[in-house]
Amino acid sequence: MARQPLVARRAEELLGSSVVATSPVAGGDIATATRLRLSSGQTALMKTLPHAPEGFFEAEAAGLRWLSEVDGGVPLPEVLGAASDCVILAWVEQSAKTPVEAAVTFGHQLATTHRAGADGWGLDQDGFIGRLPLPNRTAGSWAEFYAIRRVLPYLKLARDRGAIEEADAAAVEKVVGRLTDLLPDEAPSRLHGDLWNGNCLWGQDLTIHVIDPAAHGGHREADLAMLHLFGLTHLPRVMAAYDEAHPLADGWEDRLGIHQLFPLLVHACMFGGGYGARAGTLAARYA
């Protein structure tokens, strides 16, 4: 690895440790990722973004730390440093292997994280989902929070951007009006909040590590719905282990589509109308 002086100097300011070498990391579509080799022998990942939105990296670091408080929960990279312009995390060495045993363990760990709970529906600070602001101000129930902090803000933005047809938007609004009847009562769970397969890293330690949270207190079916929307290797085994450790309410599989409306609308806002149409088709099942 060579050494990028500006990146290395910024990392050294935050870490108080010398950076021996740096190298670019491919794959990120928002921040620039750089691998750091530190004089201590540790390897780290540094993410930077010029003119990052206020609180962008601080929210990521806070979410990782909050989720990491749970003993026996999902593994997350340690936060080594964070500032307004970057975050530095312990490196996760990935593997091409995806053993069933790791999926089963992940199911148990995710159940433990969810079961740790939260103080309420939401969080004490707003966050981000991709580049988009993510409102987290608490609400009195999950149905209320999911409507006014998740579905409706991104439905409005999708409309403003021409990313959803009016008929599809109307179908989503009908579901929002029925959320109190459709969603079961549970205590708030400690959610990752953006739990798709791209944020699940199969490590060389044969463990699934999770990254890039949009953490908050919410209904655990929301995390599970996102896993199902975008898929995960051995997902049935993950779910069997999860349900064994933290049994789900009857009908959870039928409700996954309700909790998939939020990520579909986010994707419509970011990537276009195909996702808006999917949200409308899905909503029609519940309207």
Side-chain angles (χ1 to χ4, degrees):
M1 291 195 292
R3 189 174 185 276
Q4 298 169 264
L6 293 178
V7 171
R9 190 177 306 121
R10 183 65 178 123
E12 290 168 347
E13 291 172 356
L14 290 175
L15 300 177
S17 177
S18 298
V19 175
V20 176
T22 67
S23 63
V25 177
D29 59 357
I30 296 176
T32 298
T34 304
R35 183 173 179 172
L36 311 175
R37 191 169 76 231
L38 308 180
S39 58
S40 64
Q42 185 176 15
T43 304
L45 175 72
M46 182 174 184
K47 301 199 307 187
T48 59
L49 179 63
H51 312 296
E54 183 178 355
F56 184 80
F57 288 116
E58 294 94 332
E60 178 180 351
L64 287 167
R65 288 171 175 143
W66 185 58
L67 294 168
S68 295
E69 292 174 358
V70 182
D71 291 336
V74 291
L76 301 109
E78 180 186 0
V79 179
L80 304 179
S84 60
D85 59 336
C86 65
V87 65
I88 304 175
L89 311 173
W91 181 262
V92 177
E93 193 66 44
Q94 295 185 64
S95 171
K97 297 179 180 179
T98 56
V100 170
E101 294 80 7
V104 171
T105 299
F106 180 65
H108 290 151
Q109 291 168 331
L110 182 59
T112 299
T113 295
H114 285 172
R115 197 167 47 234
D119 292 335
W121 304 108
L123 201 63
D124 58 0
Q125 69 179 75
D126 291 340
F128 295 86
I129 186 85
R131 286 179 177 266
L132 298 177
L134 185 70
N136 281 329
R137 187 160 53 87
T138 57
S141 69
W142 174 245
E144 179 186 0
F145 181 87
Y146 188 60
I148 66 177
R149 304 281 184 257
R150 291 297 179 264
V151 177
L152 293 178
Y154 301 96
L155 178 61
K156 180 181 184 304
L157 183 58
R159 273 174 159 152
D160 291 345
R161 294 185 174 183
I164 189 168
E165 297 293 334
E166 190 53 40
D168 294 321
V172 173
E173 287 178 328
K174 286 184 180 179
V175 175
V176 169
R178 299 190 60 219
L179 288 177
T180 300
D181 297 327
L182 292 170
L183 300 177
D185 290 330
E186 281 194 1
S189 294
R190 190 168 301 216
L191 299 192
H192 178 280
D194 193 10
L195 196 61
W196 70 292
N197 62 358
N199 286 340
C200 298
L201 307 183
W202 296 75
Q204 286 200 353
D205 58 357
L206 304 184
T207 298
I208 300 176
H209 302 250
V210 298
I211 59 171
D212 295 349
H216 63 283
H219 200 295
R220 57 191 175 133
E221 291 176 3
D223 265 358
L224 304 178
M226 196 171 293
L227 276 179
H228 282 78
L229 180 61
F230 297 109
L232 182 73
T233 303
H234 304 309
L235 183 55
R237 299 299 294 271
V238 171
M239 291 308 308
Y242 182 101
D243 194 44
E244 174 185 61
H246 191 14
L248 289 154
D250 290 344
W252 68 270
E253 289 175 291
D254 294 332
R255 289 187 297 272
L256 290 178
I258 301 170
H259 286 118
Q260 288 169 350
L261 293 176
F262 162 62
L264 286 172
L265 290 170
V266 168
H267 276 65
C269 294
M270 294 194 297
F271 305 117
Y275 289 103
R278 287 180 63 183
T281 299
L282 195 56
R285 290 169 39 191
Y286 302 96

